[in-house]
Amino acid sequence: MANPPRRHVNPLDAAEALFKPAKKTAAPAIERPALPNAKELISLKIDSDVLAFFQDDGPGWQDRINDTLRIAMQSKT
């Protein structure tokens, strides 16, 4: 018998064939160069009093936190 039968002979094999997951090949990841001065969305836990300090001056508090972190980063070098 050169070709296998079109239908499964064993009912258990037929049932397993129905529930086997289809294998999909994932598209390869495309690495893109980082854009200069691009902002990245992150989740950051900070103390509530620190957050209140920056938010007290109104809109732009995220930029103020970023500026403060940049100053701290530059003082380390």
Side-chain angles (χ1 to χ4, degrees), residues 7-58:
R7 294 181 185 241
H8 294 282
V9 178
N10 183 347
L12 181 61
D13 291 340
E16 287 180 355
L18 288 173
F19 290 101
K20 285 186 180 177
K23 293 182 180 178
K24 295 183 180 179
T25 56
I30 300 172
E31 291 191 27
R32 295 185 175 100
L35 298 173
N37 298 326
K39 298 205 176 192
E40 188 172 340
L41 179 64
I42 64 161
S43 176
L44 177 69
K45 290 186 177 186
I46 56 176
D47 294 335
S48 58
D49 59 331
V50 174
L51 180 60
F53 173 80
F54 284 99
Q55 288 180 334
D56 282 343
D57 290 336

